[in-house]
């Protein structure tokens, strides 16, 4: 199956899910996850209209950002403090914020580099942080306080990788987003759902679906 055919199938699934949920399909972003995918395939996706791609590893994403300056790369997953500077230099957006000390380091570096980078908080409500990263619900106030409303790191939303066996996970995340929006007095987007569960994620209110293999095909390891 070609990349165009896979994309058409994914878009059709999103459209059906949105119709069932009474939502506009344009309200749900399909973010291709290009980890371990060749630049040629990313450029093929760009040729059919995609301009933003998710990457899990700082060095790999940075290399692709340098090679394809017209595209925007989004950092997904855990970010080590010693990779914070290249992450700010090469990624258009960071969905990796999960602890106060990282927020403080990113603030210092953003000022030093004179850059503005939207950030998303990666949340973990299911004690999965040791495997996947993420900020526990109880720790969110401290993390948001560490951001300090810094205009160089505007908070855009919440990202999560919930355990697939937890049927209530998406609803928990949507409720958390709603509470934070009220507390902060600003809209927040929600990035949750992948190929196996995008319908449930859309039904719960996800604004962004992250798709890897089902978009690009098998990864090259």
């Amino acid at each position: 199956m070609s990349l165009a055919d896979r994309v058409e199938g994914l878009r059709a699934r999103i459209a059906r899910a949105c119709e069932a949920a009474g939502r506009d399909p344009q309200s749900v972003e399909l973010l291709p996850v290009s980890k371990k995918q060749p630049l040629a395939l990313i450029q093929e996706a760009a040729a059919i209209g995609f301009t933003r791609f998710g990457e899990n590893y700082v060095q790999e994403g940075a290399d692709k950002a340098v090679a394809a300056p017209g595209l925007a790369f989004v950092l997904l997953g855990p970010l080590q403090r010693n990779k914070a500077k290249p992450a700010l230099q090469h990624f258009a957006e960071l969905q990796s914020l999960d602890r106060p000390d990282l927020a403080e380091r990113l603030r210092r570096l953003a000022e030093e580099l004179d850059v503005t980078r939207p950030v998303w908080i990666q949340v973990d409500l299911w004690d999965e942080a040791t495997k996947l990263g993420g900020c526990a619900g109880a720790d969110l106030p401290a993390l948001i306080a560490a951001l300090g409303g810094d205009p160089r790191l505007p908070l855009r939303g919440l990202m999560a990788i919930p355990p697939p066996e937890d049927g209530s996970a998406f609803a928990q995340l949507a409720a958390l987003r709603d509470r934070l929006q009220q507390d902060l007095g600003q809209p927040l987007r929600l990035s949750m759902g992948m190929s196996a569960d995008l319908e449930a994620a859309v039904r719960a209110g996800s604004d962004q679906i992250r798709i890897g293999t089902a978009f690009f095909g098998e990864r090259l390891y």
Side-chain angles (χ1 to χ4, degrees), residues 30-194:
L30 171 56
L31 179 69
V33 179
S34 50
K35 172 182 71 175
K36 300 298 180 184
Q37 298 292 355
L39 187 61
L41 202 53
I42 294 170
Q43 290 171 331
E44 185 179 340
I48 59 173
F50 289 88
T51 58
R52 288 161 42 84
F53 299 88
E55 286 284 336
N56 291 76
Y57 305 114
V58 172
Q59 189 58 58
E60 181 185 352
D63 290 344
K64 289 173 177 174
V66 170
L71 302 178
F73 291 88
V74 177
L75 182 62
L76 309 172
L79 174 60
Q80 298 173 344
R81 282 170 52 87
N82 63 352
K83 301 284 183 65
K85 188 170 185 176
L88 285 171
Q89 289 172 315
H90 297 289
F91 288 86
E93 199 168 84
L94 308 180
Q95 291 195 5
S96 308
L97 189 60
D98 62 359
R99 56 198 189 277
D101 69 303
L102 179 59
E104 291 162 0
R105 178 158 176 75
L106 288 170
R107 288 182 67 182
R108 290 194 297 270
L109 287 169
E111 182 177 10
E112 174 188 317
L113 297 168
D114 192 21
V115 297
T116 297
R117 296 288 184 265
V119 297
W120 298 51
I121 295 176
Q122 182 178 351
V123 296
D124 169 37
L125 307 181
W126 317 275
D127 297 322
E128 299 278 307
T130 52
K131 293 186 290 184
L132 302 170
C135 178
D139 298 331
L140 277 170
L143 176 51
I144 293 171
L147 268 180
D150 194 323
R152 295 184 188 275
L153 299 175
L155 179 59
R156 287 290 182 262
L158 305 177
M159 184 274 269
I161 309 171
E165 69 277 4
D166 189 341
S168 65
F170 292 147
Q172 293 171 31
L173 285 163
L176 175 62
R177 188 263 299 271
D178 292 346
R179 289 197 301 271
L180 281 178
Q181 285 188 145
Q182 287 190 329
D183 291 346
L184 299 175
Q186 69 175 78
L188 295 172
R189 300 183 70 207
L190 195 53
S191 176
M192 61 182 189
M194 294 182 253

